[in-house]
Amino acid sequence: MNSPTGTEPTLYDKSVSGRTGVDLPALDVPAASLPDGLRRHDNGLPELSQLDVMRHYLRLSQRNFGVDSGFYPLGSCTMKYNPKTSEAMARLDGFAHSHPLQDPDTVQANLGLMYRLQEWLTEIGGFAAVSLQPAAGAHGELTGLLMMRAYHRARGDEGRTQILIPDSAHGTNPASTSMAGYTVLQIPSDDRGNIDLEAVRAACDGSVAGIMLTNPNTLGLFEEQIDEVTELVHGCGGLVYGDGANMNALTGIIRPTELGIDIMHYNLHKTFSTPHGGGGPGSGPVAVSQALAEYLPGPIVAVDPTSETEDPEGSPRYRLVDPSRSIGRVCTFHGNFAMLVRAYTYIRMHGADGLRNNALHAVLNANYLRVKLGNTYPVPYDRVTMHEFVCQGRVEGSSVRALDISKRLIDYGFHPPTNYFPLIVSEALMIEPTETESRETLDAFVDALERIAVEAVDDPTLLETAPHSTPVGRLDEVQAARRLVLCQRPVAQPATEAERPAP
Ligand SMILES: Cc1ncc(COP(=O)(O)O)c(C=O)c1O
């Protein structure tokens, strides 16, 4: 049998001929047989009781590490607690059971929720308009760049082919750029961790369509010269794309448009605490300044003007509209509606003051950890940080690496921080505690990392062979990702090429 772990008994191992988990009532209609060819007889499904199946899947689910089970300081990912009220709202019948093809008149409450969320995201960033269509942050990036291209083309400005991207950027930035048909011009960072202003100045000419800037950047640092950078890019006719992944540090404190940003995506899962999921379904609404509003992907929700004139006191009627020069749809139907319900609930629950407090506490928690851990692990850009910080997984007197430290953290019950990103810091450990963690949790994390630093000197093998407390030990992570085995099969059925373990 092939089991995901290699040693774990599969449902096939537990199968006992004749055992069943269902007790069907006696047939009260004439028996009929399926036409030939419709039913397979060789599928060899395991035969199990209901309890066998229940225990098997429950045990597997308990092996997952999630933010509900422990501290998850995965930098850049903002793994904060997802409030259960948001989950309950997303499951309300009216939201969960409505169909995207329903007549808009029958789903006015849903459209009203989307309209208000558009309005709030517009206001939080200081933008003019928002589309809720993109299904992830990276999808928002691609959408923003396609709008940037449409904007330049509409002005007959065809010669702009390059996007400036700092070397600290998240990998999705260059990937989205190249998908949108632009070339990347990488800009180095300076010794304070900012994008190098002189390099930006030298790059700014008529070939620049725009810049993609993350602020705070992926070192967790506020871009100290962002005003000058955006001025230079605007000065040469380019646009400024803000990667809004790190808005959890700025919400309620400053509006990105005040920093010169023209287009920005929000990652609803990072800032407004919708679940991450394995790559989706997420939501990455894209927000723009007035000059770009007509290019937004549609449909977006608008108030039907006749409804306001008909009954100025009553609730408005909503309809779906396509902006005049829309780049078109980027997602089926209305985006991932259930995520929108959760983000709406989160914003409504917290209110303006609550959102601002979250940002302040996220920054406070990150700085608390930076100061506490800075004596044990080197912090290469050691200045006041925003919502996350990057240290190095090195210990004086030991040859252990960031990966070893991270794997050992699992034995202490913590999810590892992000490893080896951003690329400009060797042995990077990128730590983002988020505002939802208590001081006790942060102290326990510091304590574990300090103990690991001692172990690194006394018994480095303990770290190099970690983790020791998990169902599987250290994996070959490349093979584990490339040859993921998600299927259990009986011996008679060989695994497909993709599932076959690497030689
Ligand atoms: C800085 C940054 N930009 C972009 C992204 C991409 O966002 P998403 O995962 O929603 O596609 C991430 C995700 O971690 C990020 O951290």
Side-chain angles (χ1 to χ4, degrees), residues 89-117:
M89 292 302 119
R91 280 174 181 73
L92 286 177
D93 276 356
F95 292 138
H97 296 156
S98 51
H99 193 281
L101 289 179
Q102 267 177 256
D103 183 324
D105 280 341
T106 66
V107 283
Q108 283 293 303
N110 301 23
L111 295 181
L113 178 144
M114 290 171 69
Y115 180 78
R116 282 191 289 277
L117 184 59

Side-chain angles (χ1 to χ4, degrees), residues 75-78 135-141 168-173 214 216-218 243-246 265-270 276 279 282-284 388 421 430 432:
S76 212
C77 291
T78 318
H139 196 195
E141 291 170 26
S168 61
H170 193 264
T172 49
N173 290 186
T214 313
N217 64 27
T218 62
D243 176 335
N246 294 342
H265 74 261
Y266 291 93
N267 300 58
L268 293 191
H269 52 280
K270 292 170 195 260
H276 280 235
S283 183
E388 63 191 350
F421 175 73
M430 186 186 206
E432 181 177 8

